[in-house]
């Protein structure tokens, strides 16, 4: 499998896992979980913007959002990444994006590096959410990648 096809698959999984957690959080009253979910989705969007050179100086990665607003953000993020990745081939992933961090520091990374970072960052925070759900006495959703593959028969 080519890298671009693998990234498309991973971003589809990312959306699937995010949506499962949003459903699970409907029965939660944890403000901490909602804050982490909002951060995860905000960061996905901001890194999409960074792929296009956006200056993130002073950006707030921890906005207050409702669960409904998080659901809409998840939908928008999935659509944007799906559209972006449909327009790329493996060579395009080596293009470099120049951007500024929230601290105003200029950086440059390849699309491949930034897209990989988005997936890893989101996975880390989904793990945080799984822990919070479990600690609240609820059974967290099954969001393992292999379960996604089995359920969607992607492979």
């Amino acid at each position: 499998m080519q890298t671009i096809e693998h990234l498309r698959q991973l971003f589809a999984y990312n959306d699937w896992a995010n949506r499962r957690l949003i459903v699970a959080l409907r029965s939660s009253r944890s403000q901490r979980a909602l804050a982490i979910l909002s951060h995860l989705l905000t960061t996905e969007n901001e890194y999409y913007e960074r792929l296009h050179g956006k200056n993130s100086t002073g950006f707030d990665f921890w906005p207050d959002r409702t669960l409904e607003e998080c659901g809409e953000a998840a939908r928008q993020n999935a659509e944007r990444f799906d559209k972006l990745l449909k327009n790329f081939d493996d060579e395009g992933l080596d293009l470099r994006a120049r951007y500024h961090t929230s601290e105003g520091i200029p950086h440059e990374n390849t699309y491949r590096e930034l897209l990989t970072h988005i997936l890893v960052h989101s996975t880390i925070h989904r793990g945080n959410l799984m822990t919070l759900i479990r600690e609240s006495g609820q059974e967290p959703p099954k969001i393992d990648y292999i379960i996604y593959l089995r359920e969607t028969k992607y492979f």
Side-chain angles (χ1 to χ4, degrees), residues 111-129:
Y111 271 58
R112 182 185 324 269
E113 292 165 342
L114 290 171
L115 290 166
T116 301
H117 169 72
I118 292 163
L119 294 166
V120 171
H121 179 269
S122 292
T123 299
I124 289 167
H125 287 301
R126 280 194 299 271
N128 299 144
L129 291 170

Side-chain angles (χ1 to χ4, degrees), residues 8-152:
R8 288 178 188 138
Q9 182 180 1
L10 289 174
F11 271 90
Y13 159 73
N14 188 65
D15 177 50
W16 175 88
N18 285 348
R19 289 174 187 262
R20 282 203 164 190
L21 279 168
I22 289 167
V23 169
L25 291 175
R26 285 184 183 149
S27 60
S28 171
R29 292 194 181 347
S30 171
Q31 289 302 307
R32 183 70 182 138
L34 186 57
I36 291 170
L37 177 63
S38 177
H39 168 74
L40 179 163
L41 296 165
T42 299
T43 302
E44 286 181 1
N45 181 63
E46 189 60 15
Y47 268 87
Y48 176 88
E49 297 291 337
R50 285 180 180 184
L51 286 167
H52 300 90
K54 182 177 179 183
N55 182 338
S56 297
T57 303
F59 186 79
D60 177 13
F61 282 93
W62 291 91
D64 287 331
R65 282 188 171 154
T66 65
L67 191 58
E68 292 74 27
E69 290 169 331
C70 286
E72 180 60 22
R75 186 193 62 73
Q76 289 175 354
N77 288 351
E79 288 176 2
R80 292 173 91 185
F81 283 110
D82 182 57
K83 185 176 178 182
L84 174 77
L85 291 168
K86 281 182 179 172
N87 292 319
F88 266 78
D89 57 19
D90 273 354
E91 285 112 27
L93 293 172
D94 292 324
L95 292 172
R96 300 190 74 74
R98 292 179 180 89
Y99 60 93
H100 288 79
T101 66
S102 56
E103 295 85 19
I105 301 167
H107 282 282
E108 181 178 315
N109 292 93
T110 66
Y111 271 58
R112 182 185 324 269
E113 292 165 342
L114 290 171
L115 290 166
T116 301
H117 169 72
I118 292 163
L119 294 166
V120 171
H121 179 269
S122 292
T123 299
I124 289 167
H125 287 301
R126 280 194 299 271
N128 299 144
L129 291 170
M130 297 291 281
T131 299
L132 288 172
I133 291 169
R134 194 171 280 113
E135 287 175 350
S136 74
Q138 295 177 306
E139 183 66 27
K142 295 184 184 320
I143 60 168
D144 290 346
Y145 179 62
I146 197 68
I147 293 171
Y148 164 77
L149 292 174
R150 291 172 187 157
E151 288 185 3
T152 62

